[in-house]
Amino acid sequence: MRWTGGANIPAPIGRLRAARLNATWPLAELTVDEGRVRLRIRLVGALWRRFGTGPLDWSAAEVAEVFPCRGRFGTGGVGIRTVAAGTSYFWTGEGAGVLEDCRRAGFTVTHQVRPADYSAPPAA
């Protein structure tokens, strides 16, 4: 399945070792396939290189959990907490469908809604 929405992801920016990159709707795309989830922000190549990140692609083994979340202004979405890279957020009004497809694709899904945590992940 594929959804269009917004995203907030961990991303190194310039000299900052750890920061977050935000994209509003319709600049993010989430794809769920059997055992894989991919979060992509639709930016042209030069911008990707400047921000030092690309599409995020994880296996079910790399994802600790997928959960419903709320943004600062009540925006609904889905959090993807990975084992090594922190938490990424996908903003969508279709959160229930995303969670169900993630569950069917083999991901651990919890249903407790949590507020988004925008703090930068620890630098590697």
Side-chain angles (χ1 to χ4, degrees):
M1 291 296 297
R2 184 174 304 199
W3 293 270
T4 299
N8 183 282
I9 63 171
I13 299 175
R15 291 185 176 176
L16 299 176
R17 296 184 70 187
R20 297 195 70 88
L21 178 63
N22 193 61
T24 59
W25 183 93
L27 297 177
E29 179 181 270
L30 182 79
T31 306
V32 178
D33 291 314
E34 189 62 37
R36 300 222 55 93
V37 65
R38 182 175 195 220
L39 180 55
R40 179 175 78 93
I41 295 180
R42 299 174 184 169
L43 296 173
V44 294
L47 286 175
W48 275 124
R49 286 188 296 281
R50 179 176 179 164
F51 289 113
T53 188
L56 303 172
D57 189 3
W58 304 285
S59 69
E62 295 171 299
V63 173
E65 67 178 327
V66 182
F67 59 91
C69 63
R70 289 276 172 214
R72 284 189 180 115
F73 303 106
T75 307
V78 173
I80 304 166
R81 186 171 62 88
T82 64
V83 174
T87 302
S88 295
Y89 300 100
F90 179 70
W91 306 118
T92 178
E94 309 267 342
V98 172
L99 291 170
E100 178 58 23
D101 282 350
C102 286
R103 185 194 63 74
R104 282 193 298 228
F107 292 88
T108 299
V109 173
T110 58
H111 293 283
Q112 180 180 359
V113 179
R114 289 182 234 160
D117 177 2
Y118 298 105
S119 59

PDB file of all heavy atoms in Angstrom, residues 11-47:
ATOM      1  N   ALA A  11      17.372  13.787  10.564  1.00  0.00           N
ATOM      2  CA  ALA A  11      18.223  14.058   9.403  1.00  0.00           C
ATOM      3  C   ALA A  11      19.375  14.966   9.785  1.00  0.00           C
ATOM      4  O   ALA A  11      19.144  16.005  10.400  1.00  0.00           O
ATOM      5  CB  ALA A  11      17.401  14.715   8.300  1.00  0.00           C
ATOM      6  N   PRO A  12      20.591  14.608   9.413  1.00  0.00           N
ATOM      7  CA  PRO A  12      21.709  15.521   9.629  1.00  0.00           C
ATOM      8  C   PRO A  12      21.586  16.686   8.654  1.00  0.00           C
ATOM      9  O   PRO A  12      21.287  16.501   7.489  1.00  0.00           O
ATOM     10  CB  PRO A  12      22.936  14.662   9.323  1.00  0.00           C
ATOM     11  CG  PRO A  12      22.436  13.597   8.417  1.00  0.00           C
ATOM     12  CD  PRO A  12      20.993  13.373   8.774  1.00  0.00           C
ATOM     13  N   ILE A  13      21.767  17.912   9.137  1.00  0.00           N
ATOM     14  CA  ILE A  13      21.673  19.094   8.279  1.00  0.00           C
ATOM     15  C   ILE A  13      22.934  19.923   8.465  1.00  0.00           C
ATOM     16  O   ILE A  13      23.195  20.431   9.552  1.00  0.00           O
ATOM     17  CB  ILE A  13      20.417  19.926   8.620  1.00  0.00           C
ATOM     18  CG1 ILE A  13      19.156  19.091   8.387  1.00  0.00           C
ATOM     19  CG2 ILE A  13      20.383  21.201   7.783  1.00  0.00           C
ATOM     20  CD1 ILE A  13      17.884  19.781   8.808  1.00  0.00           C
ATOM     21  N   GLY A  14      23.708  20.044   7.416  1.00  0.00           N
ATOM     22  CA  GLY A  14      24.928  20.847   7.469  1.00  0.00           C
ATOM     23  C   GLY A  14      25.855  20.397   8.573  1.00  0.00           C
ATOM     24  O   GLY A  14      26.161  19.217   8.700  1.00  0.00           O
ATOM     25  N   ARG A  15      26.274  21.341   9.398  1.00  0.00           N
ATOM     26  CA  ARG A  15      27.188  21.025  10.496  1.00  0.00           C
ATOM     27  C   ARG A  15      26.480  20.401  11.689  1.00  0.00           C
ATOM     28  O   ARG A  15      27.126  19.902  12.596  1.00  0.00           O
ATOM     29  CB  ARG A  15      27.912  22.273  10.950  1.00  0.00           C
ATOM     30  CG  ARG A  15      28.880  22.770   9.932  1.00  0.00           C
ATOM     31  CD  ARG A  15      29.642  23.925  10.490  1.00  0.00           C
ATOM     32  NE  ARG A  15      30.642  24.335   9.520  1.00  0.00           N
ATOM     33  CZ  ARG A  15      31.413  25.360   9.679  1.00  0.00           C
ATOM     34  NH1 ARG A  15      31.323  26.094  10.752  1.00  0.00           N
ATOM     35  NH2 ARG A  15      32.285  25.671   8.758  1.00  0.00           N
ATOM     36  N   LEU A  16      25.162  20.505  11.722  1.00  0.00           N
ATOM     37  CA  LEU A  16      24.427  19.886  12.829  1.00  0.00           C
ATOM     38  C   LEU A  16      24.553  18.380  12.698  1.00  0.00           C
ATOM     39  O   LEU A  16      24.318  17.816  11.645  1.00  0.00           O
ATOM     40  CB  LEU A  16      22.949  20.280  12.786  1.00  0.00           C
ATOM     41  CG  LEU A  16      22.660  21.773  12.922  1.00  0.00           C
ATOM     42  CD1 LEU A  16      21.169  22.011  12.755  1.00  0.00           C
ATOM     43  CD2 LEU A  16      23.126  22.276  14.278  1.00  0.00           C
ATOM     44  N   ARG A  17      24.918  17.728  13.742  1.00  0.00           N
ATOM     45  CA  ARG A  17      25.100  16.281  13.680  1.00  0.00           C
ATOM     46  C   ARG A  17      23.771  15.555  13.740  1.00  0.00           C
ATOM     47  O   ARG A  17      23.646  14.457  13.230  1.00  0.00           O
ATOM     48  CB  ARG A  17      26.008  15.833  14.811  1.00  0.00           C
ATOM     49  CG  ARG A  17      27.394  16.442  14.633  1.00  0.00           C
ATOM     50  CD  ARG A  17      28.319  15.954  15.637  1.00  0.00           C
ATOM     51  NE  ARG A  17      28.603  14.555  15.347  1.00  0.00           N
ATOM     52  CZ  ARG A  17      29.300  13.781  16.132  1.00  0.00           C
ATOM     53  NH1 ARG A  17      29.783  14.247  17.236  1.00  0.00           N
ATOM     54  NH2 ARG A  17      29.517  12.534  15.816  1.00  0.00           N
ATOM     55  N   ALA A  18      22.800  16.163  14.376  1.00  0.00           N
ATOM     56  CA  ALA A  18      21.495  15.514  14.471  1.00  0.00           C
ATOM     57  C   ALA A  18      20.425  16.597  14.496  1.00  0.00           C
ATOM     58  O   ALA A  18      20.483  17.520  15.298  1.00  0.00           O
ATOM     59  CB  ALA A  18      21.413  14.660  15.727  1.00  0.00           C
ATOM     60  N   ALA A  19      19.489  16.507  13.598  1.00  0.00           N
ATOM     61  CA  ALA A  19      18.388  17.466  13.510  1.00  0.00           C
ATOM     62  C   ALA A  19      17.181  16.719  12.955  1.00  0.00           C
ATOM     63  O   ALA A  19      17.207  15.497  12.836  1.00  0.00           O
ATOM     64  CB  ALA A  19      18.782  18.634  12.615  1.00  0.00           C
ATOM     65  N   ARG A  20      16.128  17.457  12.610  1.00  0.00           N
ATOM     66  CA  ARG A  20      14.935  16.836  12.038  1.00  0.00           C
ATOM     67  C   ARG A  20      14.547  17.605  10.786  1.00  0.00           C
ATOM     68  O   ARG A  20      14.709  18.820  10.705  1.00  0.00           O
ATOM     69  CB  ARG A  20      13.807  16.821  13.047  1.00  0.00           C
ATOM     70  CG  ARG A  20      14.185  15.952  14.275  1.00  0.00           C
ATOM     71  CD  ARG A  20      12.996  15.616  15.119  1.00  0.00           C
ATOM     72  NE  ARG A  20      12.098  14.687  14.466  1.00  0.00           N
ATOM     73  CZ  ARG A  20      12.191  13.350  14.534  1.00  0.00           C
ATOM     74  NH1 ARG A  20      13.141  12.782  15.224  1.00  0.00           N
ATOM     75  NH2 ARG A  20      11.312  12.594  13.930  1.00  0.00           N
ATOM     76  N   LEU A  21      14.031  16.869   9.816  1.00  0.00           N
ATOM     77  CA  LEU A  21      13.560  17.436   8.560  1.00  0.00           C
ATOM     78  C   LEU A  21      12.053  17.267   8.520  1.00  0.00           C
ATOM     79  O   LEU A  21      11.543  16.178   8.798  1.00  0.00           O
ATOM     80  CB  LEU A  21      14.230  16.717   7.387  1.00  0.00           C
ATOM     81  CG  LEU A  21      13.838  17.145   5.984  1.00  0.00           C
ATOM     82  CD1 LEU A  21      14.220  18.609   5.751  1.00  0.00           C
ATOM     83  CD2 LEU A  21      14.538  16.260   4.965  1.00  0.00           C
ATOM     84  N   ASN A  22      11.331  18.350   8.213  1.00  0.00           N
ATOM     85  CA  ASN A  22       9.876  18.303   8.175  1.00  0.00           C
ATOM     86  C   ASN A  22       9.393  18.570   6.752  1.00  0.00           C
ATOM     87  O   ASN A  22       9.942  19.412   6.054  1.00  0.00           O
ATOM     88  CB  ASN A  22       9.300  19.366   9.120  1.00  0.00           C
ATOM     89  CG  ASN A  22       7.833  19.158   9.357  1.00  0.00           C
ATOM     90  OD1 ASN A  22       7.431  18.121   9.867  1.00  0.00           O
ATOM     91  ND2 ASN A  22       7.027  20.129   8.987  1.00  0.00           N
ATOM     92  N   ALA A  23       8.374  17.841   6.325  1.00  0.00           N
ATOM     93  CA  ALA A  23       7.744  18.049   5.021  1.00  0.00           C
ATOM     94  C   ALA A  23       6.236  18.003   5.207  1.00  0.00           C
ATOM     95  O   ALA A  23       5.717  17.107   5.864  1.00  0.00           O
ATOM     96  CB  ALA A  23       8.189  16.969   4.040  1.00  0.00           C
ATOM     97  N   THR A  24       5.537  18.979   4.658  1.00  0.00           N
ATOM     98  CA  THR A  24       4.086  19.010   4.774  1.00  0.00           C
ATOM     99  C   THR A  24       3.444  18.216   3.634  1.00  0.00           C
ATOM    100  O   THR A  24       4.095  17.874   2.648  1.00  0.00           O
ATOM    101  CB  THR A  24       3.574  20.462   4.741  1.00  0.00           C
ATOM    102  OG1 THR A  24       3.980  21.065   3.504  1.00  0.00           O
ATOM    103  CG2 THR A  24       4.124  21.260   5.904  1.00  0.00           C
ATOM    104  N   TRP A  25       2.142  17.933   3.792  1.00  0.00           N
ATOM    105  CA  TRP A  25       1.398  17.258   2.746  1.00  0.00           C
ATOM    106  C   TRP A  25       1.451  18.125   1.502  1.00  0.00           C
ATOM    107  O   TRP A  25       1.322  19.339   1.617  1.00  0.00           O
ATOM    108  CB  TRP A  25      -0.062  17.070   3.197  1.00  0.00           C
ATOM    109  CG  TRP A  25      -0.870  16.319   2.208  1.00  0.00           C
ATOM    110  CD1 TRP A  25      -1.088  14.985   2.184  1.00  0.00           C
ATOM    111  CD2 TRP A  25      -1.574  16.856   1.084  1.00  0.00           C
ATOM    112  NE1 TRP A  25      -1.862  14.646   1.118  1.00  0.00           N
ATOM    113  CE2 TRP A  25      -2.180  15.793   0.419  1.00  0.00           C
ATOM    114  CE3 TRP A  25      -1.733  18.131   0.562  1.00  0.00           C
ATOM    115  CZ2 TRP A  25      -2.931  15.954  -0.739  1.00  0.00           C
ATOM    116  CZ3 TRP A  25      -2.481  18.296  -0.587  1.00  0.00           C
ATOM    117  CH2 TRP A  25      -3.069  17.216  -1.215  1.00  0.00           C
ATOM    118  N   PRO A  26       1.669  17.587   0.338  1.00  0.00           N
ATOM    119  CA  PRO A  26       1.760  16.196  -0.098  1.00  0.00           C
ATOM    120  C   PRO A  26       3.188  15.763  -0.382  1.00  0.00           C
ATOM    121  O   PRO A  26       3.439  14.996  -1.309  1.00  0.00           O
ATOM    122  CB  PRO A  26       0.959  16.218  -1.391  1.00  0.00           C
ATOM    123  CG  PRO A  26       1.339  17.543  -2.015  1.00  0.00           C
ATOM    124  CD  PRO A  26       1.512  18.483  -0.837  1.00  0.00           C
ATOM    125  N   LEU A  27       4.140  16.232   0.388  1.00  0.00           N
ATOM    126  CA  LEU A  27       5.549  16.011   0.062  1.00  0.00           C
ATOM    127  C   LEU A  27       6.155  14.738   0.635  1.00  0.00           C
ATOM    128  O   LEU A  27       7.355  14.531   0.513  1.00  0.00           O
ATOM    129  CB  LEU A  27       6.366  17.232   0.499  1.00  0.00           C
ATOM    130  CG  LEU A  27       5.997  18.530  -0.223  1.00  0.00           C
ATOM    131  CD1 LEU A  27       6.806  19.688   0.337  1.00  0.00           C
ATOM    132  CD2 LEU A  27       6.187  18.400  -1.721  1.00  0.00           C
ATOM    133  N   ALA A  28       5.360  13.889   1.259  1.00  0.00           N
ATOM    134  CA  ALA A  28       5.895  12.626   1.785  1.00  0.00           C
ATOM    135  C   ALA A  28       5.078  11.457   1.262  1.00  0.00           C
ATOM    136  O   ALA A  28       3.885  11.586   0.983  1.00  0.00           O
ATOM    137  CB  ALA A  28       5.889  12.636   3.308  1.00  0.00           C
ATOM    138  N   GLU A  29       5.751  10.336   1.156  1.00  0.00           N
ATOM    139  CA  GLU A  29       5.094   9.113   0.677  1.00  0.00           C
ATOM    140  C   GLU A  29       5.529   7.941   1.561  1.00  0.00           C
ATOM    141  O   GLU A  29       6.719   7.778   1.824  1.00  0.00           O
ATOM    142  CB  GLU A  29       5.508   8.857  -0.766  1.00  0.00           C
ATOM    143  CG  GLU A  29       4.918   7.616  -1.367  1.00  0.00           C
ATOM    144  CD  GLU A  29       5.391   7.435  -2.788  1.00  0.00           C
ATOM    145  OE1 GLU A  29       4.711   7.950  -3.694  1.00  0.00           O
ATOM    146  OE2 GLU A  29       6.450   6.815  -2.972  1.00  0.00           O
ATOM    147  N   LEU A  30       4.559   7.170   2.023  1.00  0.00           N
ATOM    148  CA  LEU A  30       4.833   5.982   2.823  1.00  0.00           C
ATOM    149  C   LEU A  30       4.369   4.772   2.038  1.00  0.00           C
ATOM    150  O   LEU A  30       3.243   4.745   1.525  1.00  0.00           O
ATOM    151  CB  LEU A  30       4.090   6.043   4.164  1.00  0.00           C
ATOM    152  CG  LEU A  30       4.358   4.859   5.086  1.00  0.00           C
ATOM    153  CD1 LEU A  30       5.708   5.035   5.779  1.00  0.00           C
ATOM    154  CD2 LEU A  30       3.260   4.723   6.114  1.00  0.00           C
ATOM    155  N   THR A  31       5.237   3.782   1.925  1.00  0.00           N
ATOM    156  CA  THR A  31       4.913   2.538   1.234  1.00  0.00           C
ATOM    157  C   THR A  31       5.120   1.375   2.197  1.00  0.00           C
ATOM    158  O   THR A  31       6.158   1.307   2.862  1.00  0.00           O
ATOM    159  CB  THR A  31       5.821   2.339   0.003  1.00  0.00           C
ATOM    160  OG1 THR A  31       5.733   3.501  -0.817  1.00  0.00           O
ATOM    161  CG2 THR A  31       5.418   1.111  -0.788  1.00  0.00           C
ATOM    162  N   VAL A  32       4.140   0.483   2.277  1.00  0.00           N
ATOM    163  CA  VAL A  32       4.247  -0.709   3.118  1.00  0.00           C
ATOM    164  C   VAL A  32       4.118  -1.927   2.224  1.00  0.00           C
ATOM    165  O   VAL A  32       3.143  -2.077   1.481  1.00  0.00           O
ATOM    166  CB  VAL A  32       3.145  -0.739   4.203  1.00  0.00           C
ATOM    167  CG1 VAL A  32       3.249  -2.015   5.026  1.00  0.00           C
ATOM    168  CG2 VAL A  32       3.234   0.490   5.091  1.00  0.00           C
ATOM    169  N   ASP A  33       5.130  -2.781   2.258  1.00  0.00           N
ATOM    170  CA  ASP A  33       5.128  -4.063   1.556  1.00  0.00           C
ATOM    171  C   ASP A  33       5.406  -5.144   2.579  1.00  0.00           C
ATOM    172  O   ASP A  33       5.729  -4.851   3.725  1.00  0.00           O
ATOM    173  CB  ASP A  33       6.217  -4.086   0.470  1.00  0.00           C
ATOM    174  CG  ASP A  33       5.898  -3.150  -0.683  1.00  0.00           C
ATOM    175  OD1 ASP A  33       4.758  -3.158  -1.157  1.00  0.00           O
ATOM    176  OD2 ASP A  33       6.806  -2.403  -1.087  1.00  0.00           O
ATOM    177  N   GLU A  34       5.318  -6.372   2.185  1.00  0.00           N
ATOM    178  CA  GLU A  34       5.559  -7.489   3.095  1.00  0.00           C
ATOM    179  C   GLU A  34       6.943  -7.375   3.726  1.00  0.00           C
ATOM    180  O   GLU A  34       7.960  -7.480   3.061  1.00  0.00           O
ATOM    181  CB  GLU A  34       5.440  -8.820   2.349  1.00  0.00           C
ATOM    182  CG  GLU A  34       5.450 -10.019   3.266  1.00  0.00           C
ATOM    183  CD  GLU A  34       4.275 -10.020   4.249  1.00  0.00           C
ATOM    184  OE1 GLU A  34       3.172  -9.608   3.875  1.00  0.00           O
ATOM    185  OE2 GLU A  34       4.491 -10.449   5.394  1.00  0.00           O
ATOM    186  N   GLY A  35       6.971  -7.096   5.036  1.00  0.00           N
ATOM    187  CA  GLY A  35       8.221  -7.043   5.782  1.00  0.00           C
ATOM    188  C   GLY A  35       9.057  -5.790   5.575  1.00  0.00           C
ATOM    189  O   GLY A  35      10.165  -5.698   6.072  1.00  0.00           O
ATOM    190  N   ARG A  36       8.548  -4.770   4.833  1.00  0.00           N
ATOM    191  CA  ARG A  36       9.310  -3.542   4.587  1.00  0.00           C
ATOM    192  C   ARG A  36       8.386  -2.339   4.671  1.00  0.00           C
ATOM    193  O   ARG A  36       7.232  -2.408   4.264  1.00  0.00           O
ATOM    194  CB  ARG A  36       9.956  -3.550   3.209  1.00  0.00           C
ATOM    195  CG  ARG A  36      10.901  -4.713   3.073  1.00  0.00           C
ATOM    196  CD  ARG A  36      12.206  -4.443   2.395  1.00  0.00           C
ATOM    197  NE  ARG A  36      13.058  -3.403   2.866  1.00  0.00           N
ATOM    198  CZ  ARG A  36      14.053  -3.551   3.744  1.00  0.00           C
ATOM    199  NH1 ARG A  36      14.252  -4.710   4.331  1.00  0.00           N
ATOM    200  NH2 ARG A  36      14.836  -2.560   4.054  1.00  0.00           N
ATOM    201  N   VAL A  37       8.948  -1.238   5.181  1.00  0.00           N
ATOM    202  CA  VAL A  37       8.244   0.034   5.164  1.00  0.00           C
ATOM    203  C   VAL A  37       9.239   1.083   4.652  1.00  0.00           C
ATOM    204  O   VAL A  37      10.426   1.055   4.999  1.00  0.00           O
ATOM    205  CB  VAL A  37       7.672   0.406   6.549  1.00  0.00           C
ATOM    206  CG1 VAL A  37       8.756   0.637   7.570  1.00  0.00           C
ATOM    207  CG2 VAL A  37       6.764   1.616   6.463  1.00  0.00           C
ATOM    208  N   ARG A  38       8.758   1.969   3.782  1.00  0.00           N
ATOM    209  CA  ARG A  38       9.628   2.983   3.183  1.00  0.00           C
ATOM    210  C   ARG A  38       8.953   4.339   3.314  1.00  0.00           C
ATOM    211  O   ARG A  38       7.794   4.503   2.947  1.00  0.00           O
ATOM    212  CB  ARG A  38       9.865   2.667   1.712  1.00  0.00           C
ATOM    213  CG  ARG A  38      10.798   3.646   1.045  1.00  0.00           C
ATOM    214  CD  ARG A  38      11.074   3.201  -0.377  1.00  0.00           C
ATOM    215  NE  ARG A  38      12.214   3.927  -0.884  1.00  0.00           N
ATOM    216  CZ  ARG A  38      12.284   4.399  -2.117  1.00  0.00           C
ATOM    217  NH1 ARG A  38      11.298   4.196  -2.960  1.00  0.00           N
ATOM    218  NH2 ARG A  38      13.345   5.049  -2.508  1.00  0.00           N
ATOM    219  N   LEU A  39       9.713   5.309   3.839  1.00  0.00           N
ATOM    220  CA  LEU A  39       9.232   6.677   3.991  1.00  0.00           C
ATOM    221  C   LEU A  39      10.128   7.567   3.150  1.00  0.00           C
ATOM    222  O   LEU A  39      11.341   7.589   3.320  1.00  0.00           O
ATOM    223  CB  LEU A  39       9.276   7.098   5.463  1.00  0.00           C
ATOM    224  CG  LEU A  39       8.803   8.500   5.804  1.00  0.00           C
ATOM    225  CD1 LEU A  39       7.385   8.765   5.294  1.00  0.00           C
ATOM    226  CD2 LEU A  39       8.872   8.719   7.306  1.00  0.00           C
ATOM    227  N   ARG A  40       9.509   8.290   2.226  1.00  0.00           N
ATOM    228  CA  ARG A  40      10.268   9.112   1.286  1.00  0.00           C
ATOM    229  C   ARG A  40       9.696  10.519   1.288  1.00  0.00           C
ATOM    230  O   ARG A  40       8.490  10.711   1.230  1.00  0.00           O
ATOM    231  CB  ARG A  40      10.153   8.505  -0.112  1.00  0.00           C
ATOM    232  CG  ARG A  40      10.856   9.261  -1.191  1.00  0.00           C
ATOM    233  CD  ARG A  40      10.777   8.507  -2.503  1.00  0.00           C
ATOM    234  NE  ARG A  40       9.496   8.654  -3.159  1.00  0.00           N
ATOM    235  CZ  ARG A  40       9.216   9.585  -4.070  1.00  0.00           C
ATOM    236  NH1 ARG A  40      10.123  10.466  -4.408  1.00  0.00           N
ATOM    237  NH2 ARG A  40       8.036   9.641  -4.632  1.00  0.00           N
ATOM    238  N   ILE A  41      10.586  11.501   1.374  1.00  0.00           N
ATOM    239  CA  ILE A  41      10.185  12.891   1.211  1.00  0.00           C
ATOM    240  C   ILE A  41      10.511  13.272  -0.221  1.00  0.00           C
ATOM    241  O   ILE A  41      11.627  13.044  -0.696  1.00  0.00           O
ATOM    242  CB  ILE A  41      10.887  13.812   2.225  1.00  0.00           C
ATOM    243  CG1 ILE A  41      10.415  13.448   3.633  1.00  0.00           C
ATOM    244  CG2 ILE A  41      10.595  15.281   1.913  1.00  0.00           C
ATOM    245  CD1 ILE A  41      11.023  14.264   4.736  1.00  0.00           C
ATOM    246  N   ARG A  42       9.538  13.830  -0.895  1.00  0.00           N
ATOM    247  CA  ARG A  42       9.680  14.161  -2.318  1.00  0.00           C
ATOM    248  C   ARG A  42      10.412  15.492  -2.484  1.00  0.00           C
ATOM    249  O   ARG A  42       9.808  16.541  -2.548  1.00  0.00           O
ATOM    250  CB  ARG A  42       8.309  14.249  -2.968  1.00  0.00           C
ATOM    251  CG  ARG A  42       7.544  12.970  -2.910  1.00  0.00           C
ATOM    252  CD  ARG A  42       6.170  13.204  -3.446  1.00  0.00           C
ATOM    253  NE  ARG A  42       5.382  11.984  -3.304  1.00  0.00           N
ATOM    254  CZ  ARG A  42       4.094  11.940  -3.489  1.00  0.00           C
ATOM    255  NH1 ARG A  42       3.416  13.011  -3.818  1.00  0.00           N
ATOM    256  NH2 ARG A  42       3.457  10.805  -3.350  1.00  0.00           N
ATOM    257  N   LEU A  43      11.708  15.424  -2.561  1.00  0.00           N
ATOM    258  CA  LEU A  43      12.553  16.589  -2.834  1.00  0.00           C
ATOM    259  C   LEU A  43      13.437  16.254  -4.021  1.00  0.00           C
ATOM    260  O   LEU A  43      13.795  15.096  -4.235  1.00  0.00           O
ATOM    261  CB  LEU A  43      13.446  16.920  -1.630  1.00  0.00           C
ATOM    262  CG  LEU A  43      12.746  17.337  -0.343  1.00  0.00           C
ATOM    263  CD1 LEU A  43      13.762  17.458   0.778  1.00  0.00           C
ATOM    264  CD2 LEU A  43      12.027  18.653  -0.534  1.00  0.00           C
ATOM    265  N   VAL A  44      13.826  17.243  -4.747  1.00  0.00           N
ATOM    266  CA  VAL A  44      14.725  17.001  -5.869  1.00  0.00           C
ATOM    267  C   VAL A  44      16.089  16.590  -5.341  1.00  0.00           C
ATOM    268  O   VAL A  44      16.442  16.876  -4.200  1.00  0.00           O
ATOM    269  CB  VAL A  44      14.828  18.239  -6.778  1.00  0.00           C
ATOM    270  CG1 VAL A  44      13.503  18.523  -7.455  1.00  0.00           C
ATOM    271  CG2 VAL A  44      15.315  19.441  -6.023  1.00  0.00           C
ATOM    272  N   GLY A  45      16.857  15.930  -6.175  1.00  0.00           N
ATOM    273  CA  GLY A  45      18.140  15.357  -5.772  1.00  0.00           C
ATOM    274  C   GLY A  45      19.087  16.314  -5.074  1.00  0.00           C
ATOM    275  O   GLY A  45      19.739  15.961  -4.100  1.00  0.00           O
ATOM    276  N   ALA A  46      19.184  17.559  -5.561  1.00  0.00           N
ATOM    277  CA  ALA A  46      20.107  18.519  -4.941  1.00  0.00           C
ATOM    278  C   ALA A  46      19.718  18.801  -3.496  1.00  0.00           C
ATOM    279  O   ALA A  46      20.580  18.939  -2.629  1.00  0.00           O
ATOM    280  CB  ALA A  46      20.126  19.816  -5.743  1.00  0.00           C
ATOM    281  N   LEU A  47      18.433  18.867  -3.215  1.00  0.00           N
ATOM    282  CA  LEU A  47      18.002  19.103  -1.837  1.00  0.00           C
ATOM    283  C   LEU A  47      18.313  17.897  -0.963  1.00  0.00           C
ATOM    284  O   LEU A  47      18.713  18.046   0.186  1.00  0.00           O
ATOM    285  CB  LEU A  47      16.517  19.436  -1.787  1.00  0.00           C
ATOM    286  CG  LEU A  47      16.156  20.828  -2.281  1.00  0.00           C
ATOM    287  CD1 LEU A  47      14.646  21.006  -2.306  1.00  0.00           C
ATOM    288  CD2 LEU A  47      16.806  21.894  -1.432  1.00  0.00           C
TER     289      LEU A  47
END
